[in-house]
Amino acid sequence: DAGVIQSPRHEVTEMGQEVTLRCKPISGHDYLFWYRQTMMRGLELLIYFNNNVPIDDSGMPEDRFSAKMPNASFSTLKIQPSEPRDSAVYFCASSLRGQGIEGYTFGSGTRLTVV
Amino acid sequence: SQKIEQNSEALNIQEGKTATLTCNYTNYSPAYLQWYRQDPGRGPVFLLLIRENEKEKRKERLKVTFDTTLKQSLFHITASQPADSATYLCALPDHNQGGKLIFGQGTELSVKP
């Protein structure tokens, strides 16, 4: 398996623009997580899905953020409109059984810069 | 909710020595605790899981302890190598939502040759 695949690796956008981040989880994993990492706040969970259904989105900072998982092999995180404070590295992770007993597998992340 | 504390200062050690990293948590005691390694520009990589009823777990040069009384886990790398240089994060399940992990800020380890 190629692991969790995220795209793009880097994204630079202007304030106010829409940004879409993409994730392909490991085949067979039934949990998918979106995390954001900054120096100040570390890794923060934004939202997670189980069997394509959003379970907890309490970490989504504002209504400007939305996430979807239309099928088991694809998820998107959208920011509209983007703001400079959204600049961070966004990670997608997947796991088999959400308790994380077997550990999460993370993608390489998308480094987002909003100017 | 759970709060995790890891040494924010980088740990610098000489090659061949044992590195010891600390993870402290507050509030409830979790059913398990995990350790991850993160290299610059990469996502965290799962290393080890230790359950609440396990005092110690080993994997090659890695050893993890879990003291539920002290609310602390120690992560040891014996015979450290420059290739062990990375940031190490501990993670616990959130009490209210068992399906999600919360992460500490991580401790950066630098092993000098």
Side-chain angles (χ1 to χ4, degrees):
Chain A
D1 200 320
V4 175
I5 300 173
Q6 290 187 247
S7 65
R9 285 282 279 138
H10 302 274
E11 176 81 41
V12 180
T13 190
E14 290 186 348
M15 182 174 62
Q17 296 297 306
E18 177 180 296
V19 175
T20 299
L21 312 181
R22 297 172 176 79
C23 175
K24 176 178 166 52
I26 289 177
S27 177
H29 280 189
D30 53 353
Y31 281 81
L32 183 140
F33 306 84
W34 282 100
Y35 282 85
R36 177 171 69 176
Q37 188 173 41
T38 60
M39 287 292 291
M40 289 296 295
R41 299 173 69 91
L43 263 174
E44 300 175 281
L45 179 67
L46 300 177
I47 184 171
Y48 78 94
F49 296 82
N50 175 217
N51 291 323
N52 314 337
V53 176
I55 303 300
D56 182 0
D57 66 354
S58 60
M60 297 286 258
E62 300 171 30
D63 291 345
R64 299 184 295 106
F65 286 68
S66 62
K68 293 182 181 180
M69 192 164 185
N71 57 62
S73 60
F74 183 66
S75 177
T76 60
L77 177 68
K78 186 176 292 187
I79 308 173
Q80 165 64 14
S82 58
E83 296 182 3
R85 59 191 166 129
D86 301 330
S87 297
V89 181
Y90 290 81
F91 288 104
C92 174
S94 68
S95 76
L96 188 61
R97 296 192 288 273
Q99 293 291 328
I101 296 295
E102 299 176 355
Y104 289 6
T105 302
F106 282 80
S108 293
T110 295
R111 180 173 294 277
L112 173 65
T113 302
V114 183
V115 297
Chain B
S1 62
Q2 190 68 277
K3 186 177 178 184
I4 303 173
E5 294 176 355
Q6 293 187 255
N7 285 348
S8 57
E9 288 187 18
L11 179 62
N12 298 302
I13 65 168
Q14 205 66 34
E15 183 176 8
K17 301 293 186 184
T18 296
T20 299
L21 287 71
T22 305
C23 175
N24 295 298
Y25 58 92
T26 59
N27 301 333
Y28 78 99
S29 278
Y32 61 87
L33 184 149
Q34 300 184 1
W35 283 89
Y36 289 76
R37 167 183 174 143
Q38 186 173 22
D39 291 283
R42 309 299 297 269
V45 174
F46 173 71
L47 296 175
L48 276 171
L49 177 147
I50 185 166
R51 299 175 193 275
E52 61 179 339
N53 60 349
E54 297 175 313
K55 289 274 193 279
E56 181 180 298
K57 196 101 173 250
R58 290 176 186 262
K59 180 182 177 182
E60 299 172 354
R61 294 185 295 111
L62 307 181
K63 185 179 86 171
V64 173
T65 62
F66 194 5
D67 189 326
T68 56
T69 301
L70 291 178
K71 296 188 176 181
Q72 180 182 79
S73 175
L74 299 179
F75 178 83
H76 306 272
I77 305 176
T78 58
S80 60
Q81 305 166 358
D84 296 326
S85 299
T87 296
Y88 292 86
L89 306 118
C90 70
L92 311 173
D94 184 80
H95 179 62
N96 295 324
Q97 289 281 346
K100 70 183 187 184
L101 285 179
I102 54 174
F103 284 80
Q105 290 270 52
T107 298
E108 183 180 349
L109 172 66
S110 179
V111 181
K112 305 293 186 189

